[in-house]
Amino acid sequence: MTPRQRRMWGVGLVLFGAGVATALALQAFRENILYFYTPSQIESGEAPVARAFRIGGLVVPGSVHREPGDIDMSFVLTDNAHTVTVAYSKILPDLFREGQGIIARGRLGEDGVFSAEEVLAKHDENYMPPELAEALENTSHPGQSN
Amino acid sequence: MQEFLNMGGYAGYVWGAFGLTTVVLLLNVVLARRYHRQAAIRARRRHGSLS
Amino acid sequence: MKFLPKFVHRLASPPHFYRLAERWTPWLGLVAIVLILAGAYGGLVIAPVDYQMGDGFRIIYVHVPSAWLSLLVYMVMASAAAVGLIWRIKLAHAVAASCAPVGAWFTFLALATGAIWGKPMWGAWWVWDARLTSELVLLFLYLGYIALHGAIDERTRADRAAGLLAVVGVVNVPIIHYSVEWWTTLHQPASITKMGSPSIRDPAMLIPLLIMSIGFMVYFAAVLAIRVRGEVLEREWHKRWVSEILGDT
């Protein structure tokens, strides 16, 4: 083996080792890298219900309730399998609307209602002008899945 | 024109992002040119001290 | 060295590369300016508003090209470092060292424009999801390369140590790219890396983004050409060709 081939193997092995180590570390910390849990994961007991965590899902159309003259509101999140009711009383992001993907941070109460301290809107990867969105809405459902 | 500048109410965000990008792109050119110029000056000086 | 084709040898010769870069820089700069201005005009004026984000979506035209370049520059840097380590080509290390500050600035831009975009749309400047965190790690890899290279006095050793860091850091590149698929994140998945069916369907929206991205690449080539020339002078100052070139100008 020439010195150059030795160096080639050296660089390759270092990269391989770093890759394996990183893959193992990411696998070990998988839970912590997940940014949010879905309503189904809460149902199946995968979510850390003892502490504050984030849940993500789509706002069920027609489920947004506001008390008149009050900032308190509630809405239902779904992942098209299970649902969770979320209560919230702060300012909503611009993209919050029915059918939109939402991530809420807070705690799950005894009554099964998730009381959120923070609500973030999740955008999907689709961009289009309003006319096209309307046309798609009329033919089929636009890509609202996350 | 007013409508264009207003960016549908996102003026601060859109122009902020484009402005910042312009500044960084220009800055990179300035820094690269300065690096080259100073390298040339250093190379000349070192040469001078050799001969 | 016999594996490498002849033109690579010629290109790897510092005086040849120096003159080539000098000749090409103005043209690269000109093309970059034209493309970036065209992309900005297309993105700010021609592209229609997004059905959800309105005019706010126009930040995509600086955010996405910056983010792509942050990854592209890293791949160039790591490849150059690997070539430098394996074939002991000095010019390759000069290229790697020149990539680091430019890549760091692109990464900063991607993070900063992303924050400016995230605030009105998501409702937060910053979140610790996998995409944003791995992009921040990329910034630290660039800064780590610069710091390590600067901390070692002897240039050959600095090149090798920092070059090895650059190669190891390549592991982060697929993590950034696939973070939005492997884990749940606030950041949306990729819009136009999916071959065949990009999620930006309107050409008036998509084409300015592509023009802007190509413009950023040409811009990077121009800035890199200037930096590598400086880097070559730093390394080859004692050679005769340097005094010939510097004497001429």
Side-chain angles (χ1 to χ4, degrees):
Chain A
M1 204 153 51
T2 66
R4 193 194 61 244
Q5 280 172 322
R6 218 166 37 236
R7 292 197 294 268
M8 202 183 272
W9 277 101
V11 169
L13 281 175
V14 165
L15 185 58
F16 179 75
V20 169
T22 312
L24 290 175
L26 291 177
Q27 195 55 41
F29 291 110
R30 209 188 132 67
E31 292 274 296
N32 296 306
I33 302 170
L34 291 180
Y35 191 66
F36 61 85
Y37 294 87
T38 60
S40 294
Q41 284 173 307
I42 293 171
E43 187 76 20
S44 64
E46 283 175 60
V49 288
R51 57 180 170 86
F53 65 99
R54 292 187 190 81
I55 80 167
L58 304 173
V59 179
V60 177
S63 73
V64 180
H65 277 286
R66 277 173 223 270
E67 297 299 322
D70 200 351
I71 194 166
D72 289 355
M73 63 167 308
S74 74
F75 52 88
V76 179
L77 281 187
T78 181
D79 59 356
N80 297 326
H82 294 92
T83 60
V84 171
T85 304
V86 178
Y88 185 61
S89 60
K90 286 188 191 138
I91 300 163
L92 292 166
D94 291 6
L95 281 183
F96 182 92
R97 62 196 75 179
E98 293 180 351
Q100 182 73 36
I102 286 296
I103 293 171
R105 185 172 55 83
R107 285 169 183 281
L108 195 63
E110 304 262 307
D111 52 356
V113 173
F114 190 87
S115 44
E117 296 139 35
E118 181 188 47
V119 167
L120 300 176
K122 183 167 163 50
H123 188 262
D124 59 34
E125 70 275 31
N126 297 301
Y127 300 88
M128 56 187 125
E131 308 84 60
L132 180 57
E134 216 166 280
L136 281 175
E137 186 74 51
N138 291 338
T139 50
S140 66
H141 210 68
Q144 279 285 351
S145 61
N146 295 287
Chain B
M1 190 63 190
Q2 193 59 46
E3 198 187 337
F4 173 67
L5 290 177
N6 189 40
M7 278 291 152
Y10 292 111
Y13 297 109
V14 173
W15 295 118
F18 274 79
L20 181 70
T21 305
T22 310
V23 168
V24 169
L25 292 187
L26 291 176
L27 181 72
N28 256 308
V29 174
V30 171
L31 289 177
R33 292 176 68 120
R34 197 179 68 179
Y35 184 74
H36 174 254
R37 200 171 53 242
Q38 288 179 344
I41 292 168
R42 271 196 295 272
R44 264 202 206 95
R45 202 175 46 224
R46 285 172 180 163
H47 251 293
S49 65
L50 266 190
S51 52
Chain C
M1 295 285 253
K2 59 181 174 243
F3 286 166
L4 295 177
K6 214 170 206 148
F7 82 93
V8 175
H9 272 290
R10 235 165 92 74
L11 198 64
S13 128
H16 180 74
F17 184 90
Y18 189 96
R19 292 196 184 91
L20 202 69
E22 193 169 30
R23 213 174 314 135
W24 275 81
T25 304
W27 298 107
L28 290 171
L30 192 69
V31 172
I33 290 170
V34 169
L35 286 175
I36 290 173
L37 287 181
Y41 181 78
L44 288 169
V45 182
I46 296 175
V49 296
D50 178 61
Y51 75 118
Q52 282 198 312
M53 297 199 275
D55 282 306
F57 111 98
R58 298 187 194 280
I59 296 175
I60 198 174
Y61 296 105
V62 285
H63 175 69
V64 167
S66 305
W68 279 352
L69 262 289
S70 72
L71 293 176
L72 177 79
V73 174
Y74 197 89
M75 290 314 294
V76 172
M77 177 172 101
S79 311
V83 168
L85 284 169
I86 296 167
W87 282 277
R88 300 265 158 102
I89 296 174
K90 278 193 225 149
L91 185 69
H93 282 304
V95 170
S98 305
C99 282
V102 189
W105 276 112
F106 276 125
T107 313
F108 165 78
L109 264 188
L111 292 169
T113 55
I116 294 171
W117 203 4
K119 182 59 186 168
M121 297 307 164
W122 295 343
W125 296 103
W126 178 263
V127 294
W128 292 101
D129 82 351
R131 171 53 76 78
L132 277 67
T133 308
S134 54
E135 182 75 11
L136 185 64
V137 169
L138 184 71
L139 180 61
F140 290 147
L141 283 170
Y142 279 123
L143 297 180
Y145 181 98
I146 296 168
L148 187 56
H149 201 278
I152 302 172
D153 281 334
E154 205 228 314
R155 199 178 301 273
T156 316
R157 289 191 30 180
D159 281 340
R160 287 181 195 162
L164 204 58
L165 174 70
V167 169
V168 169
V170 166
V171 171
N172 191 37
V173 171
I175 294 178
I176 294 175
H177 184 78
Y178 290 107
S179 56
V180 289
E181 293 174 23
W182 289 345
W183 302 288
T184 57
T185 55
L186 179 59
H187 195 283
Q188 63 265 34
S191 287
I192 59 178
T193 50
K194 281 184 287 185
M195 276 300 162
S197 64
S199 310
I200 306 177
R201 291 177 226 208
D202 189 333
M205 281 179 164
L206 184 60
I207 291 171
L209 185 58
L210 298 178
I211 293 176
M212 199 69 155
S213 301
I214 297 169
F216 270 45
M217 286 176 206
V218 179
Y219 163 89
F220 164 61
V223 172
L224 188 67
I226 302 172
R227 275 201 173 267
V228 173
R229 277 166 61 213
E231 201 66 49
V232 165
L233 288 183
E234 281 285 315
R235 287 151 194 261
E236 306 260 305
W237 62 271
H238 51 278
K239 300 275 176 65
R240 244 213 17 228
W241 71 268
V242 173
S243 60
E244 278 168 17
I245 279 182
L246 294 180
D248 285 349
T249 50

